[in-house]
Amino acid sequence: INDGKGHPSSSHQTLKGTSKWATSLESLLEDPEGVKRFREFLKKEFSEENVLFWLACEEFKKTQGKKQMQEKAKEIYMTFLSSKASSQVNVEGQSRLSETILETPHPLMFQKLQDQIFNLMKYDSYSRFLKSDIFLNHKKSEEQEENSPEAQTAAKRASRIYNT
């Protein structure tokens, strides 16, 4: 069974919103609304720079052209990795990163650091996020929408259409 885009459908693809976010950090980061809520949570924890760095690295991997890569690499370095960075992330090996690597950028140049930040979020912030008011309130409002009379009548109409 395919999902219409040619991808095999799975139970994870049928989940939406908070149910999908709760399956894994990867699922959360694939959903723009999930990223928005996670950022909101991390901002309260004073660690929003982690997800911003991760997102910047993901964007960087898609960058085409040496000049654009150099510019983006420098931006990532100055924003997140430099000792003077405005949103410095805490990663091992940071001190060994020098601006000289920015002259010959490649798509995976930040991969090790990005993986460190991902693991930090996965084993630290993410589990707290799933217990946070931000997540739980969003989940509750989703459940209320699903159980609303309008949603139920739409579901009944759909089942009548497909079950005839």
Side-chain angles (χ1 to χ4, degrees), residues 91-106:
V91 287
E92 288 177 35
Q94 204 166 345
S95 55
R96 291 193 302 275
L97 254 189
S98 70
E99 289 189 52
T100 56
I101 66 157
L102 302 177
E103 292 162 20
T104 54
H106 58 88

Side-chain angles (χ1 to χ4, degrees), residues 16-77:
K16 287 193 193 98
T18 54
S19 301
K20 188 174 181 196
W21 305 347
T23 60
S24 68
L25 179 57
E26 291 89 336
S27 296
L28 171 72
L29 293 171
E30 287 171 3
D31 183 341
E33 183 65 24
V35 170
K36 180 180 162 188
R37 300 296 173 167
F38 192 47
R39 279 184 63 184
E40 199 178 311
F41 170 74
L42 291 176
K43 199 177 279 187
K44 288 183 175 185
E45 290 212 332
F46 304 101
S47 59
E48 183 187 21
E49 68 278 358
N50 291 336
V51 75
L52 294 176
F53 173 71
W54 188 88
L55 292 166
C57 291
E58 284 298 290
E59 199 56 39
F60 177 75
K61 291 176 195 174
K62 300 173 196 163
T63 305
Q64 301 292 313
K66 188 178 178 185
K67 185 94 177 110
Q68 287 87 344
M69 284 186 93
Q70 283 175 324
E71 288 170 10
K72 259 203 167 109
K74 185 173 179 162
E75 188 181 315
I76 288 172
Y77 180 81

Side-chain angles (χ1 to χ4, degrees), residues 117-142:
I117 291 298
F118 179 84
N119 285 326
L120 179 72
M121 291 189 299
K122 183 175 183 172
Y123 297 110
D124 186 39
S125 319
Y126 175 65
S127 53
R128 284 197 309 280
F129 170 71
L130 295 178
K131 297 173 192 150
S132 72
D133 288 344
I134 291 172
F135 176 81
L136 296 172
N137 290 339
H138 193 72
K139 184 177 181 177
K140 192 186 293 180
S141 69
E142 273 183 356

Side-chain angles (χ1 to χ4, degrees), residues 74-87:
K74 185 173 179 162
E75 188 181 315
I76 288 172
Y77 180 81
M78 298 310 280
T79 306
F80 301 106
L81 301 169
S82 151
S83 58
K84 301 176 194 98
S86 55
S87 300

